[in-house]
Amino acid sequence: MSGSSIIDQQCLIIKEHEISCNIEQLKKCFDTIVSELNKIKFPINIKAIQKISTSITIDDTNPYNQSDIVNHPLFIIIRDCFINILHQWRTDQRLEQSSRTAFSEVAVMFAIIGDYVTDINVNVVKQLLIYKPLIDELNECLMEIATHGKYLQDFQIDAVDFMIRAIHRLSRRRLEIQNDALLGPLLDVIVKCVCSPFFFNIFMQITELKDLNEAQTFLLNTCTDYIAWYEGNRRHAIYSVIRTALLKPFTQWFQSHVATFQQWNELTNNAIDKQCAIMFDFGFENDEMLSSDTCDDCKKLIDGFIFILSSLSNSTTNTSSIDLIGICMFHLYAMTLEQNLLDYIKSRQLSAILLKLIDIGNEEMQFNAYRILASIMTEQDIKMLANPSKIANVFFTFLVEVIDNSRKIRRLRNLLRCLKSLVQHDQIKEDLIKEGILPQLIRCATEIKFDPLKEQQPALEILLAMTFNSAAATSLKQNSQFISHLKTLLISSPEQGVRRAVEGLIWKLEKEDTATANSAIKSTTQSAISYKYDIMLSYSHSDKDLCYRLHDRLTNDHFRVWLDREQMHGATMVAMADAIENSQFVLICMSDAYKQSAYCQSEAHYAYERRCHLIPIIMKPNYRPDGWLGFTVSGKIYVDFPKLGFDQAYLKLKNGINQQRKNFQQLTKNQDQLRSDPSITETHLTPIEMTSNNSDGQLSIKMCELTTLYRFVDKGTCDIVPKHQQSEQSSARICQYEWTYAPSSL
């Protein structure tokens, strides 16, 4: 029997008995094939390779996901054959029909192998595919596509397409492979392909296409999928390059076509989805400042997405429109992860539209709707909801579904991001606790299977926010195992962000009450002279630019200012508390980001509890605090930097601080006189300009009536005692004016 016949026989055995064959039988067949292939010289063995690749059917029913099988020398021979054919094709050598067939069939086989990579065989498949000669040939091929558009008219580009898919499927969700040095150049040339004019020229034709050919599939689907699933060390830089190349032309195309969105087909919807997926990489891990042009283009896309959602919320939906709703919601959510774009989305009054769409379509679409709502809802929006507890139920249900599903780890991370936004709302926080979310969050925060930065840290920060609910705080305080784990993490975790969250939790659960009580005793005897700092700036890292500018101006004017420039890598809560206790004034730098930060809430709460001199600063245009932050600064006059402009707002702030200092000095002097001689009346004292809010929110009261006696109660308040009650030694507090919180110049 000839070698070719023996190979045919073995291929037939494999194909007919692939389910019933055990590993040893398969290895025996493969051994026989390899033995015969070594006897046949190239290119005669190309036909054999083609037969072998088509006879190997890989799915859940056979043992090809076992490393012993994939590690067989036969697969190396097949791979090397593919490399030889790819080189011939790339260098314009004529391919025989058998080579053309084998070229595609082998690539398809490896793409299917990529679908069935497991922990058992991942290293073997990596050695097979992340192979320098193969990667080098692919790089050369893709560079010619990106530079000259070569091969885009050749249907055999499908072989390159499937081999890129094989590598993509192998590396998906495996950071150690994505960060492999050999794959860096491959990623670069794939990015060049999508940034090339050939990519966008194909995209611009999308509304006229009914099907995609091989080249269109490669550029619009395979290349974009490879980039969208890349989570390696260069992700942010890659997305920035793509935004620079594609955002402007895509926005112009989108604006010119959005009015006819109801005519878009599935191909158009998918192409829009994939293009957006490789441009928007916002979130807490990305500190890149978007240019004004980029923000403007993103806002135009936001307007288009909202136009589509608004139109579809008032019409009958079909499968295509439901898919488009989901696409718009998904990318709107991506936009909410960038603060400037989030502010713009909030200004568009989107909540009512989303609530109309919430019950349309599939689970994925509902999830996207709820996570946008989590980012944009105000306290008033929540009060207007017919069933606010539904939001807590949805997020709790999703969390339970994904917490043990490793294939849905990205969903878990997005859930934790949304929960960080939701728990700023006291009502939602209460509902989440009733749902029983604390044990699930503790699991995310403590189990070693979760990534310290991407899962544990967000869960710890959510738990920190939960401690402002008394029931949650009590539950966590009583969980000795959790407290013990926190103390271990504080010492052992190499991640600064994790340690900061842990330190904040330990502060809230074990130290804050004692510190507040001790500082209250200290504050009754502290004088202006004894402060270490004039001003402490409490701010969110998102607002750092304005805060740094304010800090520098204050310092130039000889104020002693405490500011933690490092934030995530800087002072602990103990240091923060010390700064608050030793600062005469605490500036609360208010914004959405400030309100959503559990660390900022901890600072503001501690300053409020110890009755510090709080001065609220508005950091973003049209911002008004609500919820816990609104309560903290209630009755105080804001300094609105965006509205007044920096110079005018700073002057107002500085004059206000100086007036408060003057008042404080006079109060201290009067207090000393009153203590030395209680019979002294105000006629012997210097009148003090003190202020309070009247019904319209304006400052209006100056205390210099001759019919009153001042009695200093503590650093921030004093009693106003009518003359006829002085004989009763004025034991009752008649009224209280918080002069330290609202000077007339503010």
Side-chain angles (χ1 to χ4, degrees):
M1 184 181 294
S2 67
S4 177
S5 298
I6 293 173
I7 291 174
D8 288 345
Q9 183 186 56
Q10 296 302 313
C11 287
L12 185 62
I13 293 172
I14 293 170
K15 196 167 186 64
E16 289 183 348
H17 303 286
E18 59 188 2
I19 297 177
S20 59
C21 278
N22 59 38
I23 293 176
E24 292 306 317
Q25 289 172 319
L26 281 173
K27 288 173 68 175
K28 184 177 180 180
C29 290
F30 289 171
D31 287 343
T32 302
I33 291 172
V34 169
S35 176
E36 294 303 318
L37 284 174
N38 288 333
K39 299 175 184 177
I40 305 173
K41 293 184 179 181
F42 186 86
I44 299 175
N45 64 359
I46 293 295
K47 291 182 180 180
I49 293 295
Q50 185 264 322
K51 290 178 182 178
I52 296 165
S53 62
T54 55
S55 68
I56 298 176
T57 303
I58 301 172
D59 56 34
D60 289 326
T61 64
N62 52 50
Y64 287 105
N65 58 356
Q66 301 296 316
S67 61
D68 285 344
I69 293 296
V70 183
N71 197 31
H72 196 279
L74 176 61
F75 289 95
I76 296 175
I77 292 173
I78 295 173
R79 178 203 63 197
D80 291 346
C81 178
F82 177 87
I83 295 172
N84 287 331
I85 300 173
L86 174 58
H87 179 76
Q88 292 177 44
W89 180 70
R90 187 180 64 77
T91 55
D92 299 322
Q93 299 179 42
R94 182 177 178 274
L95 296 182
E96 298 293 337
Q97 183 57 46
S98 58
S99 293
R100 288 181 174 274
T101 303
F103 194 28
S104 297
E105 293 290 351
V106 170
V108 170
M109 183 195 74
F110 280 123
I112 297 173
I113 288 176
D115 266 335
Y116 291 92
V117 173
T118 66
D119 291 340
I120 295 174
N121 65 6
V122 61
N123 288 328
V124 172
V125 179
K126 177 184 175 183
Q127 291 174 7
L128 192 63
L129 297 181
I130 314 303
Y131 178 60
K132 191 174 188 306
L134 172 61
I135 301 300
D136 287 346
E137 285 293 336
L138 290 171
N139 288 344
E140 293 292 334
C141 178
L142 296 185
M143 181 60 75
E144 290 173 329
I145 293 174
T147 307
H148 307 295
K150 190 176 180 181
Y151 318 119
L152 292 179
Q153 305 304 318
D154 190 333
F155 74 91
Q156 294 257 217
I157 196 176
D158 71 335
V160 176
D161 180 288
F162 279 107
M163 189 55 75
I164 296 297
R165 292 191 203 186
I167 296 170
H168 159 56
R169 292 166 183 175
L170 166 66
S171 63
R172 188 169 56 192
R173 298 191 181 96
R174 294 183 174 93
L175 285 179
E176 72 283 358
I177 297 179
Q178 292 184 2
N179 289 326
D180 190 290
L182 274 178
L183 290 184
L186 180 64
L187 175 64
D188 289 334
V189 290
I190 290 174
V191 170
K192 288 181 185 295
C193 284
V194 300
C195 293
S196 71
F198 310 107
F199 174 89
F200 203 76
N201 287 340
I202 290 175
F203 176 81
M204 291 181 68
Q205 306 167 27
I206 195 67
T207 57
E208 303 168 10
L209 300 176
K210 293 183 179 179
D211 294 295
L212 298 181
N213 63 27
E214 291 82 5
Q216 292 163 346
T217 299
F218 171 69
L219 287 175
L220 295 184
N221 290 349
T222 303
C223 287
T224 53
D225 283 345
Y226 191 99
I227 296 167
W229 282 91
Y230 173 74
E231 296 179 306
N233 297 334
R234 299 168 57 214
R235 179 179 173 90
H236 303 318
I238 291 297
Y239 273 65
S240 180
V241 169
I242 296 172
R243 269 199 306 274
T244 301
L246 295 183
L247 181 58
K248 180 68 69 178
F250 175 74
T251 302
Q252 292 171 348
W253 178 91
F254 190 77
Q255 282 188 296
S256 66
H257 287 78
V258 71
T260 60
F261 77 87
Q262 293 185 350
Q263 300 173 23
W264 294 349
N265 58 19
E266 183 179 355
L267 285 180
T268 303
N269 292 347
N270 287 341
I272 291 170
D273 183 25
K274 290 178 182 294
Q275 180 132 337
C276 289
I278 61 174
M279 292 192 297
F280 306 134
D281 180 46
F282 307 132
F284 68 92
E285 295 174 350
N286 186 5
D287 288 333
E288 178 191 358
M289 293 295 294
L290 299 183
S291 68
S292 58
D293 284 346
T294 298
C295 283
D296 288 343
D297 285 332
C298 288
K299 289 175 183 178
K300 292 171 184 175
L301 294 179
I302 290 169
D303 290 341
F305 292 146
I306 294 176
F307 169 76
I308 292 171
L309 293 177
S310 178
S311 300
L312 293 177
S313 70
N314 296 312
S315 63
T316 304
T317 55
N318 54 35
T319 302
S320 179
S321 61
I322 288 174
D323 289 343
L324 186 56
I325 290 171
I327 290 168
C328 291
M329 286 184 177
F330 181 88
H331 296 296
L332 273 174
Y333 169 70
M335 303 280 198
T336 68
L337 301 177
E338 205 288 321
Q339 189 62 49
N340 288 331
L341 300 181
L342 174 60
D343 294 340
Y344 183 72
I345 292 171
K346 286 184 175 183
S347 73
R348 293 301 314 276
Q349 305 297 311
L350 183 57
S351 297
I353 297 172
L354 292 175
L355 290 171
K356 282 185 180 180
L357 296 168
I358 210 83
D359 295 323
I360 299 176
N362 54 31
E363 183 181 88
E364 184 73 20
M365 196 183 79
Q366 292 175 7
F367 173 67
N368 286 327
Y370 274 116
R371 63 183 185 170
I372 297 172
L373 286 169
S375 300
I376 68 175
M377 282 191 305
T378 65
E379 303 287 344
Q380 188 61 32
D381 289 332
I382 292 173
K383 291 177 183 177
M384 297 292 289
L385 292 176
N387 185 14
S389 62
K390 177 64 183 290
I391 297 177
N393 175 260
V394 166
F395 278 92
F396 175 73
T397 301
F398 275 122
L399 181 59
V400 171
E401 288 178 358
V402 303
I403 193 170
D404 291 312
N405 189 339
S406 60
R407 295 188 65 84
K408 292 189 175 182
I409 195 68
R410 295 180 75 180
R411 168 67 55 86
L412 174 62
R413 292 169 185 171
N414 282 325
L415 269 170
L416 293 173
R417 279 183 175 180
C418 294
L419 286 169
K420 282 184 66 177
S421 296
L422 279 174
V423 294
Q424 68 173 294
H425 305 293
D426 290 339
Q427 177 64 54
I428 302 296
K429 191 184 300 181
E430 186 83 28
D431 292 334
L432 286 168
I433 293 167
K434 290 178 181 177
E435 290 284 346
I437 202 169
L438 287 180
Q440 305 299 326
L441 292 173
I442 290 173
R443 285 191 59 197
C444 292
T446 59
E447 293 184 6
I448 59 173
K449 71 178 182 179
F450 296 113
D451 184 271
L453 288 178
K454 295 179 179 179
E455 291 108 46
Q456 289 184 359
Q457 182 178 329
L460 288 165
E461 290 170 345
I462 295 166
L463 287 167
L464 176 57
M466 287 290 194
T467 61
F468 292 92
N469 176 281
S470 59
T474 299
S475 176
L476 293 174
K477 287 177 182 178
Q478 294 172 351
N479 191 331
S480 58
Q481 186 176 358
F482 176 62
I483 298 292
S484 176
H485 184 84
L486 290 179
K487 292 177 179 178
T488 301
L489 270 181
L490 187 61
I491 299 171
S492 63
S493 177
E495 305 296 342
Q496 292 276 7
V498 170
R499 293 203 303 273
R500 187 184 187 213
V502 168
E503 202 276 340
L505 276 162
I506 293 174
W507 165 264
K508 288 292 295 179
L509 298 177
E510 291 194 337
K511 299 180 180 180
E512 184 185 44
D513 290 345
T514 301
T516 302
N518 291 340
S519 67
I521 296 171
K522 178 181 177 182
S523 68
T524 60
T525 59
Q526 192 169 20
S527 68
I529 298 174
S530 66
Y531 287 110
K532 184 177 180 180
Y533 306 104
D534 300 311
I535 296 164
M536 185 260 196
L537 280 169
S538 177
Y539 74 105
S540 163
H541 184 68
S542 299
D543 305 317
K544 63 181 184 299
D545 291 339
L546 179 54
C547 286
Y548 292 172
R549 185 180 178 190
L550 179 57
H551 168 270
D552 293 343
R553 181 71 71 86
L554 288 165
T555 303
N556 288 340
D557 284 340
H558 307 295
F559 288 99
R560 298 167 299 166
V561 184
W562 193 96
L563 176 139
D564 174 23
R565 280 190 181 268
E566 298 302 321
Q567 287 263 306
M568 288 299 295
H569 312 294
T572 65
M573 272 306 303
V574 173
M576 291 286 187
D578 182 71
I580 290 169
E581 293 168 13
N582 288 284
S583 297
Q584 187 174 11
F585 301 97
V586 177
L587 304 191
I588 305 295
C589 300
M590 304 185 301
S591 66
D592 273 323
Y594 187 92
K595 187 193 173 191
Q596 291 180 22
S597 168
Y599 304 111
C600 295
Q601 186 174 4
S602 295
E603 294 171 22
H605 179 262
Y606 186 66
Y608 176 84
E609 286 296 309
R610 69 180 306 276
R611 306 190 72 170
C612 292
H613 309 162
L614 306 182
I615 300 178
I617 306 293
I618 292 179
M619 307 297 288
K620 298 290 185 181
N622 304 314
Y623 180 75
R624 287 296 178 267
D626 59 3
W628 70 263
L629 183 55
F631 175 82
T632 301
V633 299
S634 176
K636 299 167 181 58
I637 303 302
Y638 313 148
V639 181
D640 192 332
F641 272 75
K643 182 178 180 180
L644 298 176
F646 184 88
D647 291 335
Q648 186 177 349
Y650 177 77
L651 182 61
K652 186 175 183 179
L653 172 65
K654 179 181 175 183
N655 290 341
I657 290 172
N658 288 334
Q659 182 62 56
Q660 287 202 37
R661 283 176 149 182
K662 179 181 177 182
N663 288 348
F664 185 83
Q665 291 169 357
Q666 189 57 53
L667 269 177
T668 302
K669 180 179 179 181
N670 289 355
Q671 175 197 16
D672 292 342
Q673 293 184 56
L674 286 170
R675 283 175 176 168
S676 63
D677 187 355
S679 65
I680 295 177
T681 67
E682 64 84 28
T683 56
H684 301 97
L685 303 176
T686 303
I688 303 169
E689 182 177 302
M690 303 175 70
T691 59
S692 178
N693 289 356
N694 62 15
S695 60
D696 63 2
Q698 300 300 313
L699 299 174
S700 60
I701 300 175
K702 290 189 177 181
M703 298 186 183
C704 52
E705 297 293 332
L706 299 181
T707 58
T708 61
L709 171 69
Y710 299 133
R711 173 163 298 155
F712 188 85
V713 177
D714 61 34
K715 185 174 60 177
T717 63
C718 73
D719 288 337
I720 313 302
V721 185
K723 198 74 170 180
H724 70 275
Q725 293 185 359
Q726 290 179 21
S727 60
E728 301 174 11
Q729 297 183 349
S730 309
S731 61
R733 180 173 297 184
I734 307 303
C735 59
Q736 185 182 84
Y737 292 87
E738 297 183 346
W739 66 273
T740 56
Y741 296 164
S744 58
S745 59
L746 295 182

